[in-house]
């Protein structure tokens, strides 16, 4: 059981996460990368193996397959911070805050 923080739904039982633009902590926005649009990912068959969304829908944030719309790398490892997860990021520290305040 895992509840997505963005759509507040049980991940494996919903068809898509919310498809509103993703807001970065610096205020820039990006349309979410949908399941099947990831670079190097071809023709998904069936639901996402990690978060359970249907092809063409938006991954629940935190999915292994999800790509970051900002840097187009794997979202869980890319290091970009999305608005709302400042306090959840393991690497959130003074360095990040200093960068944002600059
Ligand atoms: Zn979701
Ligand atoms: Zn997924
Ligand atoms: Zn990124």
């Amino acid at each position: 059981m895992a509840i997505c923080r963005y759509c507040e739904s049980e991940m494996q039982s919903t068809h898509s996460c919310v498809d509103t633009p993703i807001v970065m902590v610096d205020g820039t926005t990006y349309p979410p990368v949908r399941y099947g649009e990831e670079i190097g990912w071809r023709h998904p068959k069936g639901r996402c193996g990690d978060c359970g969304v249907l092809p063409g829908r938006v991954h629940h944030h935190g999915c292994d397959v999800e790509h970051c719309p900002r840097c187009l790398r794997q979202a869980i490892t890319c290091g970009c911070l999305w608005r709302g997860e400042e306090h959840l990021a393991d690497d959130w520290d003074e360095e990040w805050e200093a960068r944002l305040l600059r």
Side-chain angles (χ1 to χ4, degrees):
M1 289 280 284
I3 302 292
C4 173
R5 288 184 296 105
Y6 277 74
C7 61
E8 296 180 348
S9 300
E10 164 60 35
M11 287 193 189
Q12 299 297 333
S13 64
T14 45
H15 294 169
S16 179
C17 197
V18 289
D19 59 0
T20 51
I22 290 159
V23 184
M24 296 291 161
V25 290
D26 61 6
T28 51
T29 60
Y30 300 83
V33 179
R34 289 163 184 270
Y35 177 34
E37 292 179 349
E38 296 86 355
I39 291 169
W41 194 266
R42 321 175 196 77
H43 308 301
K45 292 193 181 76
R47 289 169 174 265
C48 173
D50 192 56
C51 72
V53 299
L54 296 172
R57 306 297 182 93
V58 179
H59 291 284
H60 293 293
H61 186 42
C63 173
D64 282 352
V65 179
E66 179 185 37
H67 276 201
C68 172
R70 180 185 209 167
C71 65
L72 303 178
R73 288 184 290 168
Q74 191 180 22
I76 55 169
T77 59
C78 76
C80 300
L81 278 178
W82 301 11
R83 184 158 287 175
E85 61 182 18
E86 297 94 331
H87 57 294
L88 293 164
D90 290 336
D91 57 355
W92 179 260
D93 54 21
E94 289 78 13
E95 188 200 336
W96 271 101
E97 288 196 293
R99 270 197 238 175
L100 290 173
L101 292 172
R102 230 175 271 153

